[in-house]
Structures are given as C-alpha cells and as structure tokens.
Amino acid sequence: MDMLGTRDVYGKTLVELGRESENIVVLDADLASSTRTNYFAREFPHRFFNMGVSEQDLIGTAAGLALAGKLPFVSSFAIFLAGKAWEQIRQSICIPNLNVKLVATHGGITVGEDGASHHSTEDFALMRVLPNMTVICPADGVETEKVIREIAKHQGPTYVRLARPKFPVVLDDAYQFQLGRSFTLRQGKDLTMIATGIMVYQCLRAAEELDKEGVSAAVVNMSTIKPIDAPAIASAVRQTGAILTAEEHSVIGGLGSAVAEVVSQNCPAPMKIIGVDDLFGVSGNADKLMAHFRLTYPYIAEGARQLLKRK
Amino acid sequence: MKLSPEKLKELKETARICRRDILRMTTLAGSGHPGGSLSCIDILVTLFFARMRHDPRQPKWEDRDRFFLSKGHSCPALYAVLSRAGYFPVEELDTLRKLNSILQGHPDMLYTPGVEVSSGSLGQGLSIGNGVALAAKVDHRNIKVYIMLGDGECQEGMVWEAAMTSAQHKLDNLCAFVDYNRLQIDGWIDDIKSLEPLQLKWESFGWKAIIIDGHSFEEIWQGLMEADRTKGKPTVCIARTVKGKGVSFMENQAKYHGMALTPEELSRALKELE
Ligand SMILES: Cc1ncc(C[n+]2csc(CCOP(=O)(O)OP(=O)(O)O)c2C)c(N)n1
C-alpha cells in the first residue's frame, strides 16, 4: 500500500502554485518546518511571512493581505489555528468573507506523543459552525493535491485539515475532487459508511471485514464537510437505509453531526457515529492511539453490526 | 544571602543528573523537546532544590510556592526535577510519552504529581500565575509564584496582556523567568520576530527586569534575591541561556528543539555529562 504525507503533498503543491501565480503568499507561526510551508519559504522568501508564535496576529495579518488583493495560505497545527485564533478567524476572515485559505496540519489524535494540548478533535466543529466557511479534510495525499489546487480557485474562507503521519493512498490519480461533492469508493446494499480523512481507509478495511460476513457496505469519501453533500446523503439513505459516519474528531459537532443534521431532517434513518468519545487525547504512538480511541476498522465493523440491528 | 559552596556543588551535581535524565527519557520516548529543556534546567534545579518551599510528600500543600512551566514542551526538565525531588519514582521517566504513562508529552496536572497546571499551548502560563498570585494576596497567604516563559513564547500577545495584569495588581509575589536562548523552532528569534529591546519592554510594562546568566547558579540566585527584595511590582529575570546547553553538538542548534537524540548521539552526549 502506497503511503503519502498529506502535509508533504501540501508543501509541494504550494510551491507549484507559487510558481503559477505571483499572487499567492504564505504565512506560518513558527511551525513552517512541520507544516511544510518551509518548502515555499525556501523558493519564495519574499512571499513568505513567518509570524513567530503569534497565531492571532497570523490570522489578522492574513486578513489584511487578502484585503489588499493577495491570496494568503495560512498554516499551523490544527488546534493552534482553529482553536487559538478562532475568534480572529470569525471576526476578521469569516464576517468580512475574505479569501483566506487556512491549511492546518496535525489534525486529530494521530499527532500522537505530544498529547492532549496538541491533539485536535474539535476543529471540524469549530470551523463548521462559522458562516461563510468551507471545511475540507482530504482522505489521502492524492486528494490533498487536488484540494489545494481547487481551493486556490474557489473564493471565500476555507479550512483544510491535514495530518501528521503518512496516510495510505486510497484514491487514484484520475480522481477528480469537486468541492461540496462526496465520492463513492465502494458500492453496497446494507449500509453506507460516510467517512473523512484517515477514516476513509479504515472504513474500506471495515467493509472488507463485513463482506466476509455477507454484509455489503458502501463507502463514501465525504472530504467536504461543509457545505455537506446533502443529495448524496439522501441517496445513500434510499439505497441502503442505514448510515455510519467515521471521523478522527470528537463524536460531537463534526462529520457525524453534519450528516445527522441532514438525515434527521430530510431522510430519517438509523445512524451510528464513529469518532473520538467526549474525552481529551493522551500521549502515545499514533497507531496505538487509533486503537485506544476505537477508531480502527474492527471497531467500525462492530459499529456497523450494531447499526444493522436497528435497521 | 549567598549560596553556600556546599549548596552550589549540590545544585551543579543535581543539574548534571537532570541533564542526563532529560536526554535519556526523550531518546527512550523517541520524541520530545530536549533543546529547550537543557536551556532552562539550571533555573528549575535552583528553584526546586534551593529556593521554593515545597513538599514532595504533599504536592497539594496549600502554603507551597508554585512553579508554572508556561513553555510546556520543556516538561522533560520539569519531570527530571520532580522525580529527583521525590514527587514520583525516577523509573517513571522511562515511560515518557507512552500510552498510559503518568508523564504526558506536555504537562498535565491530572496525570503527574507536582505539575501545577496543564500546559503545552504557549502563552498562557503567566496569566494563570497571576491568578494564583492574586488569590494569595486576597488570602494574605505568603507564597511565591514562579513562571518559566520561552523567548519564542513571548511572541504570543497573551504574555503581554498578562504582563500588564501583573503590574496593575503590583504582584510582587510573582517572579517570571524568560529562557532567552534566542532560538525558536524555525530559527533565530531575531530573524523571525525580535523581542528586543526585551529588558526595556518589561520595564515599560511596569516590571522590575534584570538580566542574568541562566546557567550560573550564583546569578540565578541573585535574581531570586532581587525578586524577593522588590516590592510593589513583579520581577522578571531575563536569563541568557543556550539551547541544548551542556552537550557540545546540541548547543545553539534549532534542530534539537523537538527531536530526541539517536541512541548513538545519546551515548556521546552522556559521556560529556559524566
Ligand atoms: C500556541 C502554540 N503555538 C505553537 C506551538 C508549537 N511550538 C512548540 S514550542 C514552539 C517554539 C517555542 O519557542 P521558545 O518559547 O523559544 O521555546 P524554547 O526555545 O525555549 O524551547 C512552538 C512554536 C505551541 N506549543 N503553542
């Protein structure tokens, strides 16, 4: 299985975009070596601004650059961007609806050993609730490149969540990312798994497990969390009658909530939300934490079995 | 009051042991932040082994002095000092950053005896220290609050919001240290966002600000004495330090900010600390 670092792909794609457009500027807050914006910094030092450990200033400065006609890409770790600078994002980017691209790395709990302070299981909720904001979490490195290219064309505030570890590649190069559109990776009859980020891979594994038991699960990559692909959710309900969601995020306020908002109001059906329970992270190796927080495929398969009993 | 020669010798020896602990535990963990731990360790050792009133058998004793590690990533230094002071067995250091360890990658007060508050997101420790110092004033409790700030950390606006609070409330029961090793993650502070003139900044914010050598126990001690003498305002000791201090190949190298030594590097480093 090919592995690709979503942040590595981001760093490389930014450099390509920088070559294609003079208008792109990049800002970071003393994590450029980790977010990979240092690739851009090396090639375009005059269009790169390292703001130091000042996330709130980072956001305000990006807003000013956008006002002045630049296209800012802004990076830090997910919790320091979405969390530390949340109200600045709300006031200075979302209310004025400015064209600022927030690309956070180190989302979720696969941040690993750094522990609770550095994990981010709240960012989908924090960003999704902001009017004008678009929220995207790519499934792998292949999709990351397409997402970064697409949001450079799209107008408006955007939050993209990437990860620390490398992800297995689940999409092929021919895949076309369309903002606001989900993508069905696997057809199924008995239930639909709707996932984002690393959980797309875990759901594909879970679907293989279930297949052995004669359960046919569809797997949908919902990389755009907002605006959510409501028509795709409705058709999944029509086709399979049961929805499982999976995300490397709190079970509160993220993809599961977004899908439930559609299902409960437009097309009621039994649901199971897989994610991090209402707990803070702990230190540990990323793979061990995935199991510790019950995000790996055996737990997803178990969730699916429970869900089918309620169908 | 001066440090006795015996005390001085003891502090030096304790700091040497703690430096070894820092390097061993991060290499065993395979990650962590050795550079900034080595730059602040001499100050932590002075506080915990010569200055602060505290009792490892009663971590929650109400009249203890408080230490807040605002630059939470340097917790290997804090864990070394706490274990050597007797808050928990030294063997626990081997579990740093592993699942189910009492020693989290960043300080967590719910896991580790002696850790006063959870930290890791930079910029927040001075405000918390102010709160504790204010409560002590309200309760007429004679305790001292110590804060360890990073120099990169001082780029956070909240540090300066807090600095105004300390001065506004004349918190002379509070003493901050800035670990001025001149490096942050992406390079030199002066190339990214300079703090200078740092002493004047603190003074203009209403603080007593003194510059010390953060690797000289005598000067750290003098700073602490100065803080005790200063009435009506908080004191900050701007400590000139070296990131990676004590290991020749780590000194002044940004790359050891958040990278543990390899086992080979570790054995070389431990030789230098014999
Ligand atoms: C709010 C926040 N932003 C970013 C980080 C990531 N980070 C950890 S350490 C560090 C650099 C800190 O530099 P400094 O305070 O000088 O630490 P030292 O050199 O003493 O280790 C950064 C940016 C963080 N922990 N918290």
Side-chain angles (χ1 to χ4, degrees), chain A residues 28-34 50-57 80 84 113-118 164 280-285 288-289 292, chain B residues 29 31 33 97-100 103-106 108 111 119-124 152-153 155-158 161 184-187 192-193:
Chain A
D28 203 297
D30 197 28
L31 287 167
S33 41
S34 295
N50 195 329
M51 304 301 296
V53 198
S54 314
E55 293 79 9
Q56 299 173 335
D57 183 35
F80 302 137
K84 186 126 195 162
E113 288 82 356
D114 273 345
S117 62
H118 283 56
R164 175 171 177 252
F280 283 110
V282 291
S283 289
N285 160 279
K288 287 192 177 148
L289 290 186
H292 178 79
Chain B
S31 64
H33 299 81
R97 295 181 152 245
K98 300 202 171 99
L99 194 56
N100 302 320
L103 303 178
Q104 295 289 297
H106 288 79
D108 195 314
Y111 287 78
S119 61
S121 173
L122 293 166
Q124 310 192 21
E153 183 181 21
Q155 294 164 341
E156 287 287 0
M158 187 173 171
E161 297 175 25
Q184 51 192 107
I185 295 183
D186 286 336
I192 293 169
K193 188 183 257 185

Short mmCIF file of all heavy atoms in Angstrom, two decimals, chain A residues 28-34 50-57 80 84 113-118 164 280-285 288-289 292, chain B residues 29 31 33 97-100 103-106 108 111 119-124 152-153 155-158 161 184-187 192-193:
data_model
loop_
_atom_site.label_atom_id
_atom_site.label_comp_id
_atom_site.label_asym_id
_atom_site.label_seq_id
_atom_site.Cartn_x
_atom_site.Cartn_y
_atom_site.Cartn_z
N ASP A 28 2.99 31.48 8.27
CA ASP A 28 3.07 30.40 9.25
C ASP A 28 3.39 31.02 10.61
O ASP A 28 3.71 32.21 10.70
CB ASP A 28 4.17 29.40 8.82
CG ASP A 28 3.95 28.01 9.42
OD1 ASP A 28 3.99 27.89 10.67
OD2 ASP A 28 3.75 27.06 8.65
N ALA A 29 3.30 30.20 11.66
CA ALA A 29 3.56 30.70 13.01
C ALA A 29 4.56 29.80 13.72
O ALA A 29 4.23 29.08 14.65
CB ALA A 29 2.25 30.80 13.80
N ASP A 30 5.79 29.84 13.25
CA ASP A 30 6.90 29.08 13.85
C ASP A 30 6.70 27.57 13.79
O ASP A 30 7.23 26.85 14.63
CB ASP A 30 7.14 29.53 15.30
CG ASP A 30 8.51 29.09 15.82
OD1 ASP A 30 9.44 28.95 14.99
OD2 ASP A 30 8.67 28.87 17.03
N LEU A 31 5.96 27.11 12.79
CA LEU A 31 5.87 25.67 12.60
C LEU A 31 6.09 25.31 11.14
O LEU A 31 5.65 24.26 10.66
CB LEU A 31 4.51 25.15 13.11
CG LEU A 31 4.39 25.13 14.64
CD1 LEU A 31 2.95 24.91 15.08
CD2 LEU A 31 5.29 24.06 15.26
N ALA A 32 6.77 26.20 10.41
CA ALA A 32 6.94 26.01 8.97
C ALA A 32 7.65 24.70 8.64
O ALA A 32 7.37 24.08 7.62
CB ALA A 32 7.71 27.19 8.39
N SER A 33 8.55 24.28 9.53
CA SER A 33 9.26 23.03 9.25
C SER A 33 8.32 21.84 9.40
O SER A 33 8.49 20.83 8.73
CB SER A 33 10.48 22.89 10.15
OG SER A 33 10.18 23.31 11.46
N SER A 34 7.32 21.95 10.25
CA SER A 34 6.37 20.85 10.44
C SER A 34 5.21 20.90 9.45
O SER A 34 4.73 19.86 9.01
CB SER A 34 5.79 20.89 11.86
OG SER A 34 6.79 20.65 12.81
N ASN A 50 6.91 34.41 8.24
CA ASN A 50 6.86 33.62 9.47
C ASN A 50 6.54 34.59 10.60
O ASN A 50 7.35 35.43 10.98
CB ASN A 50 8.18 32.90 9.72
CG ASN A 50 8.03 31.82 10.77
OD1 ASN A 50 7.20 31.94 11.68
ND2 ASN A 50 8.79 30.75 10.65
N MET A 51 5.34 34.45 11.14
CA MET A 51 4.83 35.41 12.11
C MET A 51 5.33 35.15 13.52
O MET A 51 4.97 35.88 14.44
CB MET A 51 3.30 35.41 12.11
CG MET A 51 2.68 35.67 10.75
SD MET A 51 3.17 37.26 10.06
CE MET A 51 2.45 38.34 11.28
N GLY A 52 6.11 34.08 13.70
CA GLY A 52 6.51 33.72 15.06
C GLY A 52 5.35 33.04 15.78
O GLY A 52 4.33 32.71 15.16
N VAL A 53 5.52 32.86 17.09
CA VAL A 53 4.49 32.14 17.86
C VAL A 53 3.37 33.13 18.19
O VAL A 53 3.24 33.60 19.32
CB VAL A 53 5.07 31.52 19.14
CG1 VAL A 53 4.13 30.44 19.67
CG2 VAL A 53 6.45 30.94 18.91
N SER A 54 2.58 33.49 17.18
CA SER A 54 1.58 34.57 17.31
C SER A 54 0.40 34.23 16.40
O SER A 54 0.20 34.86 15.36
CB SER A 54 2.17 35.91 16.86
OG SER A 54 3.44 36.15 17.40
N GLU A 55 -0.40 33.24 16.79
CA GLU A 55 -1.44 32.76 15.88
C GLU A 55 -2.53 33.78 15.62
O GLU A 55 -3.12 33.82 14.54
CB GLU A 55 -2.08 31.47 16.45
CG GLU A 55 -1.12 30.28 16.49
CD GLU A 55 -0.15 30.30 17.65
OE1 GLU A 55 -0.31 31.16 18.56
OE2 GLU A 55 0.78 29.47 17.68
N GLN A 56 -2.82 34.61 16.60
CA GLN A 56 -3.90 35.58 16.41
C GLN A 56 -3.46 36.68 15.47
O GLN A 56 -4.19 37.09 14.56
CB GLN A 56 -4.35 36.10 17.78
CG GLN A 56 -4.86 34.93 18.63
CD GLN A 56 -5.17 35.29 20.06
OE1 GLN A 56 -4.62 36.24 20.61
NE2 GLN A 56 -6.06 34.53 20.68
N ASP A 57 -2.23 37.10 15.65
CA ASP A 57 -1.60 38.06 14.74
C ASP A 57 -1.50 37.47 13.33
O ASP A 57 -1.69 38.17 12.32
CB ASP A 57 -0.21 38.39 15.31
CG ASP A 57 0.56 39.44 14.53
OD1 ASP A 57 -0.09 40.37 14.01
OD2 ASP A 57 1.79 39.33 14.46
N PHE A 80 -3.96 25.06 17.09
CA PHE A 80 -3.49 26.44 17.29
C PHE A 80 -4.10 27.38 16.26
O PHE A 80 -4.24 28.58 16.52
CB PHE A 80 -1.96 26.49 17.25
CG PHE A 80 -1.33 25.60 18.29
CD1 PHE A 80 -0.23 24.82 18.00
CD2 PHE A 80 -1.86 25.53 19.57
CE1 PHE A 80 0.33 23.98 18.96
CE2 PHE A 80 -1.31 24.70 20.53
CZ PHE A 80 -0.21 23.92 20.23
N LYS A 84 -6.81 28.37 18.83
CA LYS A 84 -6.23 29.57 19.44
C LYS A 84 -6.72 30.85 18.76
O LYS A 84 -6.89 31.88 19.39
CB LYS A 84 -4.71 29.50 19.34
CG LYS A 84 -4.01 30.63 20.06
CD LYS A 84 -3.00 30.10 21.04
CE LYS A 84 -2.58 31.19 22.00
NZ LYS A 84 -1.94 30.65 23.19
N GLU A 113 2.38 11.45 20.29
CA GLU A 113 3.08 11.59 21.56
C GLU A 113 2.93 12.97 22.22
O GLU A 113 3.06 13.08 23.43
CB GLU A 113 4.57 11.28 21.38
CG GLU A 113 4.89 9.80 21.16
CD GLU A 113 4.71 9.35 19.72
OE1 GLU A 113 4.26 10.18 18.88
OE2 GLU A 113 4.99 8.17 19.43
N ASP A 114 2.71 14.01 21.45
CA ASP A 114 2.60 15.36 22.04
C ASP A 114 1.43 15.46 23.02
O ASP A 114 1.43 16.31 23.90
CB ASP A 114 2.47 16.43 20.95
CG ASP A 114 3.83 16.91 20.45
OD1 ASP A 114 4.84 16.64 21.12
OD2 ASP A 114 3.85 17.57 19.39
N GLY A 115 0.42 14.65 22.84
CA GLY A 115 -0.66 14.59 23.83
C GLY A 115 -1.76 15.62 23.65
O GLY A 115 -1.85 16.32 22.64
N ALA A 116 -2.61 15.72 24.70
CA ALA A 116 -3.87 16.46 24.63
C ALA A 116 -3.72 17.89 24.12
O ALA A 116 -4.52 18.35 23.31
CB ALA A 116 -4.53 16.48 26.00
N SER A 117 -2.69 18.60 24.58
CA SER A 117 -2.57 20.01 24.21
C SER A 117 -2.40 20.18 22.71
O SER A 117 -2.77 21.22 22.17
CB SER A 117 -1.38 20.66 24.93
OG SER A 117 -0.17 20.03 24.55
N HIS A 118 -1.83 19.18 22.05
CA HIS A 118 -1.53 19.31 20.62
C HIS A 118 -2.49 18.54 19.73
O HIS A 118 -2.46 18.69 18.51
CB HIS A 118 -0.09 18.86 20.36
CG HIS A 118 0.94 19.88 20.76
ND1 HIS A 118 1.00 20.39 22.04
CD2 HIS A 118 1.92 20.49 20.07
CE1 HIS A 118 2.00 21.27 22.11
NE2 HIS A 118 2.56 21.35 20.92
N ARG A 164 -0.44 14.62 10.67
CA ARG A 164 0.99 14.45 10.91
C ARG A 164 1.54 13.20 10.21
O ARG A 164 2.50 13.30 9.46
CB ARG A 164 1.26 14.39 12.40
CG ARG A 164 2.70 14.09 12.73
CD ARG A 164 2.98 14.25 14.22
NE ARG A 164 4.36 13.87 14.50
CZ ARG A 164 4.71 12.75 15.14
NH1 ARG A 164 3.80 11.92 15.57
NH2 ARG A 164 5.97 12.49 15.37
N PHE A 280 -10.42 14.13 26.14
CA PHE A 280 -9.21 14.68 25.56
C PHE A 280 -8.24 13.55 25.19
O PHE A 280 -8.34 12.45 25.72
CB PHE A 280 -8.54 15.65 26.53
CG PHE A 280 -9.24 16.98 26.57
CD1 PHE A 280 -9.95 17.37 27.70
CD2 PHE A 280 -9.21 17.83 25.48
CE1 PHE A 280 -10.62 18.59 27.73
CE2 PHE A 280 -9.87 19.04 25.49
CZ PHE A 280 -10.58 19.44 26.63
N GLY A 281 -7.31 13.90 24.32
CA GLY A 281 -6.31 12.93 23.91
C GLY A 281 -5.33 12.62 25.01
O GLY A 281 -5.31 13.27 26.07
N VAL A 282 -4.50 11.61 24.76
CA VAL A 282 -3.40 11.27 25.66
C VAL A 282 -2.18 11.03 24.79
O VAL A 282 -2.29 10.85 23.58
CB VAL A 282 -3.69 10.01 26.50
CG1 VAL A 282 -4.77 10.25 27.51
CG2 VAL A 282 -4.05 8.83 25.60
N SER A 283 -1.02 11.01 25.43
CA SER A 283 0.21 10.74 24.68
C SER A 283 0.30 9.28 24.32
O SER A 283 -0.12 8.41 25.10
CB SER A 283 1.43 11.11 25.54
OG SER A 283 1.52 12.50 25.67
N GLY A 284 0.86 9.02 23.17
CA GLY A 284 1.10 7.65 22.75
C GLY A 284 1.40 7.62 21.27
O GLY A 284 1.20 8.61 20.57
N ASN A 285 1.88 6.50 20.84
CA ASN A 285 2.15 6.28 19.43
C ASN A 285 0.83 6.39 18.63
O ASN A 285 -0.22 5.94 19.09
CB ASN A 285 2.77 4.89 19.34
CG ASN A 285 2.70 4.30 17.99
OD1 ASN A 285 1.68 3.75 17.59
ND2 ASN A 285 3.79 4.41 17.27
N LYS A 288 -1.21 3.26 18.08
CA LYS A 288 -1.80 2.78 19.33
C LYS A 288 -2.98 3.65 19.74
O LYS A 288 -3.99 3.16 20.26
CB LYS A 288 -0.76 2.76 20.45
CG LYS A 288 0.24 1.65 20.28
CD LYS A 288 1.08 1.45 21.52
CE LYS A 288 2.03 0.27 21.32
NZ LYS A 288 3.28 0.43 22.02
N LEU A 289 -2.86 4.94 19.51
CA LEU A 289 -3.96 5.84 19.88
C LEU A 289 -5.19 5.58 19.02
O LEU A 289 -6.33 5.69 19.50
CB LEU A 289 -3.54 7.31 19.76
CG LEU A 289 -2.53 7.79 20.80
CD1 LEU A 289 -2.30 9.29 20.66
CD2 LEU A 289 -2.96 7.47 22.22
N HIS A 292 -6.70 2.81 20.74
CA HIS A 292 -7.13 3.26 22.06
C HIS A 292 -8.45 4.03 21.99
O HIS A 292 -9.33 3.85 22.84
CB HIS A 292 -6.02 4.14 22.67
CG HIS A 292 -6.34 4.72 24.00
ND1 HIS A 292 -6.23 4.00 25.17
CD2 HIS A 292 -6.76 5.96 24.37
CE1 HIS A 292 -6.56 4.76 26.20
NE2 HIS A 292 -6.89 5.96 25.73
N ALA B 29 11.76 7.75 24.60
CA ALA B 29 10.43 8.05 24.06
C ALA B 29 10.47 8.13 22.54
O ALA B 29 9.45 7.98 21.88
CB ALA B 29 9.92 9.37 24.64
N SER B 31 10.91 10.82 20.97
CA SER B 31 10.49 12.17 20.59
C SER B 31 10.52 13.04 21.84
O SER B 31 10.87 12.58 22.92
CB SER B 31 9.08 12.16 19.98
OG SER B 31 8.13 11.74 20.93
N HIS B 33 11.28 17.23 23.53
CA HIS B 33 11.94 18.51 23.31
C HIS B 33 13.17 18.69 24.20
O HIS B 33 13.11 19.36 25.24
CB HIS B 33 10.94 19.64 23.57
CG HIS B 33 9.75 19.59 22.66
ND1 HIS B 33 8.68 18.75 22.88
CD2 HIS B 33 9.48 20.26 21.52
CE1 HIS B 33 7.79 18.92 21.91
NE2 HIS B 33 8.24 19.83 21.07
N ARG B 97 5.76 9.87 27.41
CA ARG B 97 5.08 9.95 26.11
C ARG B 97 4.48 8.63 25.64
O ARG B 97 4.04 8.51 24.49
CB ARG B 97 6.02 10.48 25.01
CG ARG B 97 6.45 11.91 25.25
CD ARG B 97 7.35 12.44 24.17
NE ARG B 97 7.16 13.88 24.09
CZ ARG B 97 6.66 14.52 23.04
NH1 ARG B 97 6.35 13.89 21.96
NH2 ARG B 97 6.48 15.82 23.08
N LYS B 98 4.51 7.60 26.49
CA LYS B 98 3.93 6.33 26.06
C LYS B 98 2.49 6.25 26.57
O LYS B 98 2.13 6.89 27.57
CB LYS B 98 4.76 5.17 26.59
CG LYS B 98 6.21 5.23 26.08
CD LYS B 98 6.90 3.88 26.13
CE LYS B 98 8.24 3.95 25.43
NZ LYS B 98 9.36 4.12 26.34
N LEU B 99 1.71 5.42 25.90
CA LEU B 99 0.31 5.24 26.28
C LEU B 99 0.25 4.78 27.74
O LEU B 99 1.00 3.89 28.14
CB LEU B 99 -0.34 4.21 25.35
CG LEU B 99 -1.86 4.12 25.38
CD1 LEU B 99 -2.51 5.47 25.09
CD2 LEU B 99 -2.34 3.08 24.38
N ASN B 100 -0.63 5.40 28.51
CA ASN B 100 -0.84 5.10 29.94
C ASN B 100 0.25 5.62 30.87
O ASN B 100 0.25 5.28 32.06
CB ASN B 100 -1.04 3.60 30.18
CG ASN B 100 -2.21 3.06 29.39
OD1 ASN B 100 -3.25 3.73 29.29
ND2 ASN B 100 -2.06 1.88 28.83
N LEU B 103 3.49 10.52 32.57
CA LEU B 103 4.26 11.63 32.02
C LEU B 103 3.84 11.89 30.57
O LEU B 103 4.31 11.24 29.63
CB LEU B 103 5.76 11.33 32.11
CG LEU B 103 6.23 11.03 33.55
CD1 LEU B 103 7.71 10.69 33.57
CD2 LEU B 103 5.95 12.21 34.48
N GLN B 104 2.93 12.83 30.42
CA GLN B 104 2.40 13.17 29.11
C GLN B 104 3.41 13.99 28.31
O GLN B 104 4.32 14.59 28.87
CB GLN B 104 1.09 13.94 29.29
CG GLN B 104 -0.01 13.10 29.92
CD GLN B 104 -0.53 12.03 28.97
OE1 GLN B 104 -1.07 12.32 27.92
NE2 GLN B 104 -0.33 10.76 29.35
N GLY B 105 3.20 14.04 27.00
CA GLY B 105 4.11 14.78 26.12
C GLY B 105 4.18 16.26 26.45
O GLY B 105 5.19 16.92 26.21
N HIS B 106 3.12 16.77 26.99
CA HIS B 106 3.11 18.13 27.55
C HIS B 106 2.48 18.03 28.94
O HIS B 106 1.69 17.14 29.19
CB HIS B 106 2.34 19.09 26.63
CG HIS B 106 3.10 19.39 25.36
ND1 HIS B 106 3.12 18.51 24.30
CD2 HIS B 106 3.89 20.44 25.00
CE1 HIS B 106 3.89 19.01 23.33
NE2 HIS B 106 4.37 20.18 23.73
N ASP B 108 0.52 17.69 32.22
CA ASP B 108 -0.90 17.51 32.50
C ASP B 108 -1.07 17.29 33.99
O ASP B 108 -0.64 16.28 34.54
CB ASP B 108 -1.45 16.33 31.70
CG ASP B 108 -2.98 16.34 31.68
OD1 ASP B 108 -3.58 16.55 32.76
OD2 ASP B 108 -3.56 16.16 30.61
N TYR B 111 -2.37 14.04 35.55
CA TYR B 111 -1.59 12.80 35.45
C TYR B 111 -0.36 12.78 36.35
O TYR B 111 0.09 11.72 36.75
CB TYR B 111 -1.10 12.60 34.00
CG TYR B 111 -2.16 12.20 33.01
CD1 TYR B 111 -3.04 13.13 32.50
CD2 TYR B 111 -2.28 10.88 32.59
CE1 TYR B 111 -4.01 12.77 31.58
CE2 TYR B 111 -3.24 10.50 31.68
CZ TYR B 111 -4.11 11.45 31.17
OH TYR B 111 -5.07 11.09 30.27
N SER B 119 -0.26 22.43 30.52
CA SER B 119 0.16 23.44 29.56
C SER B 119 0.64 22.75 28.29
O SER B 119 0.53 21.54 28.16
CB SER B 119 1.24 24.34 30.16
OG SER B 119 2.39 23.59 30.51
N GLY B 120 1.13 23.52 27.35
CA GLY B 120 1.56 22.94 26.07
C GLY B 120 1.24 23.90 24.94
O GLY B 120 2.01 24.04 23.99
N SER B 121 0.09 24.56 25.05
CA SER B 121 -0.21 25.66 24.13
C SER B 121 0.44 26.88 24.73
O SER B 121 0.16 27.26 25.88
CB SER B 121 -1.72 25.83 24.01
OG SER B 121 -2.01 26.98 23.25
N LEU B 122 1.33 27.51 23.96
CA LEU B 122 2.18 28.57 24.51
C LEU B 122 1.39 29.85 24.81
O LEU B 122 0.39 30.14 24.17
CB LEU B 122 3.31 28.88 23.53
CG LEU B 122 4.32 27.73 23.36
CD1 LEU B 122 5.19 27.97 22.14
CD2 LEU B 122 5.18 27.60 24.61
N GLY B 123 1.88 30.58 25.79
CA GLY B 123 1.37 31.93 26.03
C GLY B 123 0.49 32.09 27.25
O GLY B 123 0.13 33.20 27.61
N GLN B 124 0.14 30.97 27.90
CA GLN B 124 -0.94 31.06 28.88
C GLN B 124 -0.50 31.03 30.34
O GLN B 124 -1.28 31.34 31.23
CB GLN B 124 -1.96 29.93 28.62
CG GLN B 124 -2.37 29.91 27.14
CD GLN B 124 -3.56 29.04 26.82
OE1 GLN B 124 -4.36 28.74 27.69
NE2 GLN B 124 -3.70 28.65 25.57
N GLY B 152 10.59 32.52 22.46
CA GLY B 152 9.63 32.42 21.35
C GLY B 152 8.22 32.62 21.87
O GLY B 152 7.38 33.27 21.25
N GLU B 153 7.98 32.06 23.03
CA GLU B 153 6.65 32.18 23.62
C GLU B 153 6.24 33.63 23.82
O GLU B 153 5.05 33.97 23.76
CB GLU B 153 6.61 31.43 24.96
CG GLU B 153 5.23 31.44 25.60
CD GLU B 153 5.16 30.74 26.94
OE1 GLU B 153 6.21 30.56 27.60
OE2 GLU B 153 4.04 30.37 27.32
N GLN B 155 6.35 35.87 21.94
CA GLN B 155 5.72 36.43 20.74
C GLN B 155 4.19 36.31 20.82
O GLN B 155 3.48 36.88 19.99
CB GLN B 155 6.24 35.71 19.49
CG GLN B 155 7.73 35.98 19.25
CD GLN B 155 8.37 35.01 18.29
OE1 GLN B 155 7.86 33.93 18.04
NE2 GLN B 155 9.52 35.39 17.75
N GLU B 156 3.70 35.56 21.78
CA GLU B 156 2.24 35.47 21.98
C GLU B 156 1.74 36.75 22.64
O GLU B 156 2.25 37.17 23.68
CB GLU B 156 1.89 34.27 22.87
CG GLU B 156 2.04 32.92 22.21
CD GLU B 156 0.97 32.59 21.18
OE1 GLU B 156 0.06 33.42 20.95
OE2 GLU B 156 1.05 31.50 20.58
N GLY B 157 0.70 37.33 22.08
CA GLY B 157 0.14 38.55 22.65
C GLY B 157 -0.31 38.39 24.09
O GLY B 157 -0.20 39.31 24.90
N MET B 158 -0.79 37.20 24.42
CA MET B 158 -1.34 36.99 25.76
C MET B 158 -0.29 37.19 26.85
O MET B 158 -0.62 37.58 27.98
CB MET B 158 -1.92 35.58 25.84
CG MET B 158 -2.66 35.27 27.12
SD MET B 158 -3.46 33.65 26.97
CE MET B 158 -4.01 33.41 28.65
N GLU B 161 -0.49 40.81 27.59
CA GLU B 161 -1.74 41.13 28.30
C GLU B 161 -1.54 40.79 29.78
O GLU B 161 -1.89 41.56 30.68
CB GLU B 161 -2.91 40.31 27.73
CG GLU B 161 -3.23 40.62 26.27
CD GLU B 161 -4.31 39.72 25.68
OE1 GLU B 161 -5.14 39.19 26.44
OE2 GLU B 161 -4.33 39.55 24.44
N GLN B 184 13.88 29.68 18.36
CA GLN B 184 12.57 29.08 18.39
C GLN B 184 12.60 27.90 17.43
O GLN B 184 13.70 27.41 17.14
CB GLN B 184 11.49 30.11 18.09
CG GLN B 184 11.67 30.95 16.84
CD GLN B 184 10.70 32.12 16.81
OE1 GLN B 184 11.08 33.26 17.00
NE2 GLN B 184 9.43 31.82 16.55
N ILE B 185 11.46 27.39 16.95
CA ILE B 185 11.53 26.18 16.12
C ILE B 185 12.16 26.47 14.76
O ILE B 185 13.06 25.78 14.32
CB ILE B 185 10.13 25.55 15.90
CG1 ILE B 185 9.57 25.06 17.23
CG2 ILE B 185 10.21 24.41 14.89
CD1 ILE B 185 8.22 24.38 17.12
N ASP B 186 11.66 27.51 14.10
CA ASP B 186 12.07 27.76 12.72
C ASP B 186 13.37 28.55 12.60
O ASP B 186 13.77 28.90 11.49
CB ASP B 186 10.93 28.47 11.97
CG ASP B 186 9.78 27.52 11.63
OD1 ASP B 186 10.02 26.30 11.56
OD2 ASP B 186 8.64 28.00 11.45
N GLY B 187 14.03 28.85 13.70
CA GLY B 187 15.31 29.54 13.60
C GLY B 187 15.52 30.54 14.73
O GLY B 187 15.00 30.38 15.82
N ILE B 192 13.04 36.06 12.98
CA ILE B 192 11.62 35.77 12.79
C ILE B 192 10.76 36.89 13.36
O ILE B 192 9.97 37.51 12.63
CB ILE B 192 11.27 34.40 13.41
CG1 ILE B 192 11.97 33.29 12.60
CG2 ILE B 192 9.75 34.18 13.43
CD1 ILE B 192 11.93 31.93 13.22
N LYS B 193 10.94 37.17 14.64
CA LYS B 193 10.18 38.26 15.26
C LYS B 193 10.92 38.64 16.53
O LYS B 193 10.76 38.00 17.57
CB LYS B 193 8.74 37.80 15.56
CG LYS B 193 7.84 38.92 16.03
CD LYS B 193 6.45 38.40 16.37
CE LYS B 193 5.47 38.72 15.26
NZ LYS B 193 4.09 38.34 15.56
#
